[in-house]
Amino acid sequence: MKPPSEQKRKVAHLAIIMDGNRRWASSRGLPVFLGHKAGVEALKRTIEACLASGVKVLTAFVLSTENWNRPEGELKYLLGLLQETIRAEMKLLQDHKVKVRFLGESLQAAFPGLYELFAATERETEGNDSLLLQVALNYGGRADILQATRSFMRQALEGTLAPENLTEGLFERALLTGLGDQACLDPDLLIRTGGEQRLSNYLLWPLAYTELLFLPILWPDFGLSDFEASLAEFQGRDRRFGS
């Protein structure tokens, strides 16, 4: 057995910005909707790859708080596609013991049916432990930090928490990415497809020491070879965490 310093680093938590669905469709003369449908297939391939490689957490950026500015027809299709996919793939999620969590501001008021589906999916997959799939929908990193800050301000005003007793650990658990009584593992690796090299308000706190990988390929084209190459790239990097 190799000593720890020589063992290959494993990606325990993978975060993905799935960029390029619309450009993929446009480059082929196809409707935008088919780009999103192809993007769902790429996500399914990635989930399978995570299960096979031992990744424990996959956090996928599906819809940001800024994406509501897109055309109404496209948004309606996206939400419908999401509902259809969840219902169609529930058995597969259960068979592979995938636990699902939805991250983002609540859609209960605007989309009660979708909210109920999300809640039911989380309940039904709660006991699964092979892979935690976190779906970031109506999510923004700044909004997440702001809501956590407000919760601690309320506690300070109520006298239940002194400001000097607020720690990074407590703050992490108050974020949407936290798991309540414990913080979720920070991502080891962030992959963004589509050629853009920015975070786009995604997981701003958890990505503090994450390795970043920006790929020129469009998300629907992301396959197993790209997944494996990305993990190999991560394994070759020297992570010092400021030391």
Side-chain angles (χ1 to χ4, degrees):
M1 181 177 180
K2 292 182 179 180
S5 60
E6 296 181 15
Q7 291 179 16
K8 287 186 177 180
R9 298 182 186 88
K10 289 187 178 294
V11 175
H13 184 172
L14 173 64
I16 297 183
I17 298 177
M18 305 179 294
D19 195 10
N21 291 346
R22 302 203 297 180
R23 281 175 286 159
W24 183 90
S26 178
S27 68
R28 288 163 173 75
L30 300 172
V32 169
F33 312 115
L34 292 182
H36 292 309
K37 193 168 185 178
V40 168
E41 294 303 313
L43 178 57
K44 287 162 61 176
R45 291 195 299 269
T46 303
I47 292 171
E48 292 171 0
C50 286
L51 287 164
S53 64
V55 172
K56 302 305 294 180
V57 183
L58 172 63
T59 304
F61 205 6
V62 173
L63 192 71
S64 74
T65 51
E66 293 78 21
N67 287 153
W68 295 108
N69 295 322
R70 292 185 177 184
E72 183 179 351
E74 181 183 353
L75 290 170
K76 184 177 180 180
Y77 177 83
L78 263 174
L79 296 178
L81 179 61
L82 180 59
Q83 293 181 72
E84 176 187 321
T85 302
I86 292 171
R87 293 191 177 105
E89 303 300 331
M90 178 56 70
K91 184 178 185 304
L92 192 63
L93 292 171
Q94 295 287 42
D95 289 345
H96 290 285
K97 297 185 178 180
V98 177
K99 178 178 180 177
V100 182
R101 292 181 72 221
F102 293 92
L103 308 178
E105 296 181 40
S106 176
L107 296 175
Q108 185 172 14
F111 304 97
L114 189 60
Y115 172 83
E116 289 300 327
L117 177 61
F118 288 174
T121 301
E122 290 183 336
R123 287 194 302 270
E124 291 176 28
T125 63
E126 177 64 30
N128 296 342
D129 57 6
S130 291
L131 174 70
L132 170 60
L133 172 61
Q134 299 190 123
V135 179
L137 181 75
N138 196 28
Y139 174 87
R142 289 180 175 178
D144 193 5
I145 291 171
L146 186 58
Q147 66 83 24
T149 302
R150 285 172 174 159
S151 71
F152 288 114
M153 288 179 66
R154 286 192 290 268
Q155 291 180 52
L157 289 172
E158 293 166 357
T160 57
L161 178 69
E164 59 270 19
N165 291 333
L166 176 58
T167 64
E168 285 192 11
L170 283 174
F171 195 88
E172 288 171 355
R173 291 193 285 274
L175 293 171
L176 296 174
T177 50
L179 297 177
D181 60 344
Q182 62 182 22
C184 182
L185 292 169
D186 286 341
D188 299 295
L189 174 66
L190 166 73
I191 298 173
R192 178 172 186 154
T193 58
E196 304 293 352
Q197 299 186 30
R198 55 178 177 266
L199 297 181
S200 295
N201 196 23
Y202 185 45
L203 301 179
L204 296 181
W205 180 286
L207 290 178
Y209 279 101
T210 297
E211 295 295 318
L212 310 179
L213 183 58
F214 302 104
L215 301 179
I217 63 173
L218 302 177
W219 174 245
D221 291 326
F222 187 82
L224 180 59
S225 61
D226 303 299
F227 178 88
E228 292 175 342
S230 299
L231 265 58
E233 165 73 17
F234 170 82
Q235 290 167 352
R237 294 190 181 183
D238 183 16
R239 304 188 78 197
R240 296 185 295 274
F241 298 96
S243 63

